[in-house]
């Protein structure tokens, strides 16, 4: 009985042991697995800490891939942008060329119009100059320099004749073609554009004495008035000039011409610049003094002033270009008067 109980106890214990074994073994497996997994995670963490370059390599590879993709996309975009820019540039070039051609056409037409306007203005100016100036190349009194007063070739006639007639004066005599008007006479013309009686007084040797004239015709004074000398001063200049010639060359016959009238009307033919501030009243005052002086000194006073007057007591525009200088018709009337004082 006792042995049976022991066996039973033994068997029972074995059963309990086996049960315990069966129960305990899976738990161990689970715990081992857990330990393994936790260890594995830790190992991986350690590996990652030990080899961080692997992660960097991955990141680098990923960034490299993304950069390549980005560069591809960028190159594509850049190509598209370049193509678009080329198109825009071509369009701009065409637009610029169009604008240039349009501008050239416009500038050409504008230039042509300006050229035509300038040509018209020049033609009008030439016409006005021809109307206002007595001869081509002559200048206004205030602009005329004192020129060489040597006689013109056509004014030198036969020197073998005894009488020599010298014309001493300003532009009125300078423009007087005495060689044609006095063909049968020996004439010398020393007229100078713009000269005054005062300036002529300083030039008597070169203007008069070197030619040894027998008779002198003097027509001066209008430029003295133009340069704002008073009528009294102008007369005094003429008086000094005449006295000097008479003193130096008493054998010379002196003929004094009256100062010619001017025209200051509103006629479009009249040039206001040619006469300046001088007036017919001033001219008449000088002429009155000249007349008295010549009468007192037994000199010939030739009144050509009255020959050229119009109904308004101004210079007749039929005898003048612009209210001062004389036309051929005016010189004809003067010539007919001077011939009375010349001998063949």
């Amino acid at each position: 009985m006792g042995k049976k109980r022991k066996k039973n106890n033994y068997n029972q214990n074995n059963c309990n042991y086996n049960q315990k074994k069966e129960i305990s073994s899976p738990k161990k497996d689970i715990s081992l697995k857990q330990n393994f997994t936790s260890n594995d995670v830790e190992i991986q963490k350690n590996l990652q800490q030990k080899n961080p370059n692997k992660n960097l390599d991955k990141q680098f590879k990923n960034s490299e891939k993304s950069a390549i993709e980005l560069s591809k996309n960028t190159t594509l975009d850049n190509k598209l942008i370049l193509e678009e820019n080329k198109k825009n540039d071509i369009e701009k070039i065409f637009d610029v060329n169009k604008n240039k051609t349009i501008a050239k056409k416009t500038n050409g037409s504008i230039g042509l119009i300006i050229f035509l306007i300038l040509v018209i203005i020049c033609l009008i100016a030439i016409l006005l100059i021809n109307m206002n100036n007595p001869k081509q190349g002559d200048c206004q009194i205030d602009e005329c320099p004192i020129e060489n007063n040597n006689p013109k070739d056509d004014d030198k006639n036969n020197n073998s004749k005894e009488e020599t007639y010298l014309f001493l004066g300003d532009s009125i005599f300078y423009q007087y073609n005495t060689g044609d008007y006095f063909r049968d006479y020996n004439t010398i013309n020393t007229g100078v554009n713009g000269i005054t009686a005062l300036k002529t007084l300083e030039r008597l040797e070169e203007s008069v004495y070197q030619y040894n004239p027998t008779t002198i015709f003097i027509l001066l004074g209008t430029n003295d008035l133009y340069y704002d000398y008073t009528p009294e001063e102008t007369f005094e200049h003429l008086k000094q000039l005449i006295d000097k010639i008479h003193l130096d060359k008493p054998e010379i016959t002196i003929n004094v011409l009256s100062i010619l009238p001017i025209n200051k009307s509103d006629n479009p033919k009249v040039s206001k610049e040619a006469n300046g501030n001088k007036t017919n009243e001033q001219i008449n005052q000088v002429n009155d003094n000249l007349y008295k002086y010549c009468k007192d000194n037994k000199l010939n006073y030739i009144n050509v002033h009255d020959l050229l007057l119009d109904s308004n007591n101004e210079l007749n525009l039929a005898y003048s270009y612009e209210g001062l200088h004389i036309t051929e018709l005016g010189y004809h009337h003067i010539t007919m008067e001077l011939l009375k004082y010349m001998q063949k």
Side-chain angles (χ1 to χ4, degrees):
M1 287 293 289
K3 288 180 184 181
K4 286 181 183 180
R5 284 179 184 178
K6 283 182 184 180
K7 283 182 185 180
N8 289 331
N9 290 329
Y10 176 76
N11 290 328
Q12 213 168 12
N13 290 327
N14 282 335
C15 288
N16 293 328
Y17 174 77
N18 288 330
Q19 286 175 355
K20 286 179 182 179
K21 193 175 181 180
E22 288 173 1
I23 292 163
S24 63
S25 61
K27 287 180 180 177
K28 283 181 183 179
D29 291 337
I30 291 165
S31 65
L32 282 169
K33 284 180 182 178
Q34 288 175 349
N35 290 329
F36 178 76
T37 54
S38 63
N39 289 330
D40 193 18
V41 168
E42 288 178 2
I43 289 165
Q44 285 179 358
K45 284 181 181 179
N46 292 327
L47 285 171
Q48 285 178 357
Q49 288 175 356
K50 288 179 181 179
N51 298 317
N53 291 330
K54 288 185 178 179
N55 290 328
L56 288 172
D57 289 339
K58 286 180 182 180
Q59 289 176 3
F60 178 73
K61 285 177 182 177
N62 291 331
S63 64
E64 191 176 6
K65 284 179 183 178
S66 62
I68 291 164
E69 290 174 0
L70 245 163
S71 65
K72 286 179 180 178
N73 293 329
T74 306
T75 51
L76 287 171
D77 291 339
N78 288 335
K79 283 180 181 178
L80 290 170
I81 290 164
L82 285 171
E83 288 177 359
E84 190 67 26
N85 288 335
K86 283 180 182 178
K87 287 180 182 178
N88 292 332
D89 290 339
I90 291 165
E91 288 176 359
K92 284 179 182 177
I93 289 165
F94 280 117
D95 289 337
V96 168
N97 290 331
K98 283 180 184 177
N99 291 331
K100 282 183 179 178
T101 52
I102 292 166
K104 282 180 182 177
K105 287 179 181 177
T106 307
N107 291 333
S109 59
I110 291 169
L112 182 61
I113 291 167
I114 292 169
F115 175 74
L116 291 173
I117 290 169
L118 290 173
V119 169
I120 291 167
I121 290 169
C122 289
L123 290 173
I124 292 169
I126 290 167
L127 288 172
L128 289 172
I129 289 167
N130 288 333
M131 285 176 64
N132 291 333
N133 287 341
K135 288 183 182 179
Q136 201 172 14
D138 287 337
C139 53
Q140 298 296 338
I141 287 179
D142 57 334
E143 296 173 351
C144 289
I146 294 174
E147 301 174 2
N148 187 348
N149 65 346
N150 290 332
K152 293 175 278 190
D153 291 336
D154 59 352
D155 290 338
K156 290 181 179 180
N157 288 332
N158 188 1
N159 291 326
S160 62
K161 295 179 180 179
E162 294 181 357
E163 295 291 330
T164 301
Y165 297 94
L166 188 139
F167 291 79
L168 180 67
D170 48 37
S171 59
I172 304 297
F173 268 0
Y174 178 81
Q175 295 169 15
Y176 192 8
N177 193 352
T178 54
D180 288 338
Y181 284 105
F182 303 98
R183 289 185 179 275
D184 296 330
Y185 299 87
N186 182 28
T187 60
I188 298 169
N189 191 330
T190 60
V192 177
N193 279 335
I195 201 165
T196 63
L198 184 64
K199 187 67 178 176
T200 305
L201 182 61
E202 301 171 3
R203 295 162 53 87
L204 286 176
E205 180 61 41
E206 54 192 299
S207 298
V208 179
Y209 299 157
Q210 66 171 327
Y211 300 109
N212 296 315
T214 56
T215 301
I216 297 177
F217 292 99
I218 298 173
L219 177 57
L220 288 163
T222 189
N223 290 328
D224 297 72
L225 293 172
Y226 179 87
Y227 291 114
D228 293 329
Y229 287 107
T230 66
E232 292 77 13
E233 290 170 333
T234 301
F235 168 69
E236 187 62 31
H237 298 162
L238 286 165
K239 181 178 176 297
Q240 290 175 12
L241 175 68
I242 297 166
D243 287 344
K244 176 68 173 169
I245 296 172
H246 186 67
L247 180 65
D248 293 341
K249 303 285 182 178
E251 70 276 12
I252 295 176
T253 301
I254 299 174
N255 299 305
V256 181
L257 277 68
S258 60
I259 299 175
L260 300 186
I262 59 174
N263 191 304
K264 299 196 77 172
S265 67
D266 293 330
N267 191 301
K269 184 179 178 180
V270 173
S271 172
K272 293 181 179 179
E273 290 82 7
N275 289 312
N277 295 324
K278 67 184 175 184
T279 64
N280 278 311
E281 288 76 12
Q282 292 174 323
I283 291 170
N284 291 333
Q285 189 175 343
V286 176
N287 285 339
D288 289 342
N289 289 329
L290 273 178
Y291 170 74
K292 292 174 185 175
Y293 171 77
C294 291
K295 186 177 179 180
D296 293 339
N297 292 276
K298 298 180 180 181
L299 301 172
N300 292 327
Y301 175 80
I302 305 174
N303 186 6
V304 289
H305 175 277
D306 293 350
L307 295 175
L308 305 177
L309 288 175
D310 62 10
S311 58
N312 296 319
N313 290 323
E314 292 190 300
L315 176 60
N316 194 326
L317 291 178
Y319 306 142
S320 176
Y321 290 98
E322 83 296 41
L324 174 67
H325 294 100
I326 307 304
T327 61
E328 297 298 323
L329 183 58
Y331 282 123
H332 172 74
H333 286 286
I334 293 171
T335 302
M336 297 307 292
E337 188 65 24
L338 297 186
L339 282 170
K340 297 175 183 179
Y341 299 87
M342 300 175 74
Q343 299 175 3
K344 286 186 180 180

